[in-house]
Amino acid sequence: MLVWNPEQHALGNSAMDATHEAFIALLRAATEATDADFPARFAELFDHTRAHFAEEDAKMLASRFPAIGEHVGEHRRILGELTLFQRSVRAGRTRMARAYLADTLPAWFGLHLITMDAALAAHLRRQAEPS
């Protein structure tokens, strides 16, 4: 179970950290949701993730982040997967979506956070430093 741990997850960028903490909370809520509540919790996670990625993509573009292509590509891939699961959830088929949220998405997030998001946070810190 993925639980926000500032020592493990915080990147030192307050906006990114708050967004990631909210992502983890929504992921946990969806994972623990009853069958009746799961579609609504999944939709909340999906909407948050779409906004989360759009915000990061805008920061990368505005700051001329060198690895923007790879990072945006990962965002698009995950949003594509979530979109497919959202269709299944809306049709009443939740088993695969639940498995994805329990296993695949947390593992992806952990790796994405310590690689791509950490690199973005470091880049943004360097940009904010006085020259």
Side-chain angles (χ1 to χ4, degrees), residues 5 10 12 24 29 41 52 54 70 83 85 90 92 99 101 104 110-111 114-115 122 126 130:
N5 177 343
I24 289 172
R41 298 296 80 77
H52 164 184
E70 295 88 347
T83 298
F85 287 119
R90 286 182 179 156
L101 296 188
T104 304
L111 182 60
I114 64 170
T115 57
R126 285 191 301 275

Side-chain angles (χ1 to χ4, degrees), residues 4 10-11 14 21-24 35 38 43 60 68 73-74 84-85 95-96 106 109 131:
W4 175 259
L11 299 174
S14 59
E21 185 174 7
F23 172 83
I24 289 172
D35 289 342
F38 183 75
M60 288 187 279
I68 190 171
E74 275 298 291
L84 292 174
F85 287 119
R95 183 186 297 173
M96 293 300 292
F109 178 74
S131 358

Side-chain angles (χ1 to χ4, degrees), residues 76-127:
R76 287 184 182 154
R77 182 178 69 80
I78 294 301
L79 285 176
E81 291 173 0
L82 287 171
T83 298
L84 292 174
F85 287 119
Q86 177 73 324
R87 289 181 192 142
S88 294
V89 168
R90 286 182 179 156
R93 297 183 310 272
T94 62
R95 183 186 297 173
M96 293 300 292
R98 281 187 175 278
Y100 180 82
L101 296 188
D103 299 319
T104 304
L105 194 57
W108 171 84
F109 178 74
L111 182 60
H112 183 79
L113 181 76
I114 64 170
T115 57
M116 293 185 176
D117 283 350
L120 174 59
H123 170 77
L124 294 172
R125 253 190 320 278
R126 285 191 301 275
Q127 293 243 321

Side-chain angles (χ1 to χ4, degrees), residues 29-46:
T31 302
E32 295 175 349
T34 64
D35 289 342
D37 289 339
F38 183 75
R41 298 296 80 77
F42 187 94
E44 289 172 353
L45 175 65
F46 181 70

